[in-house]
């Protein structure tokens, strides 16, 4: 999970100290996850502004 979040944030580094091999995510996965999070944030914001 830590590798997934780092990869989404653009920190595609390999940690040699912990021997964790993080494989970078493909650009399409980053784009889809980012778009989904943006849509969810906009829906929540629009519902809070209507109340």
């Amino acid at each position: 999970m830590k590798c997934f979040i780092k990869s989404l944030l653009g920190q595609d580094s390999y940690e040699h100290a912990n021997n964790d091999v993080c494989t970078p995510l493909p650009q399409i996965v980053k784009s889809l996850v980012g778009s989904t999070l943006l849509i969810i944030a906009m829906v929540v914001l629009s519902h809070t502004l209507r109340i």
Side-chain angles (χ1 to χ4, degrees), residues 20-38:
D20 292 335
V21 178
C22 296
T23 56
L25 291 175
Q27 187 63 33
I28 187 71
V29 175
K30 291 181 187 179
S31 179
L32 288 174
V33 171
S35 301
T36 304
L37 291 177
L38 181 66

Side-chain angles (χ1 to χ4, degrees), residues 2-15:
K2 185 170 67 171
C3 289
F4 179 70
I5 293 173
K6 280 186 175 184
S7 182
L8 281 178
L9 294 176
Q11 300 173 350
D12 296 335
S13 63
Y14 297 96
E15 295 183 10

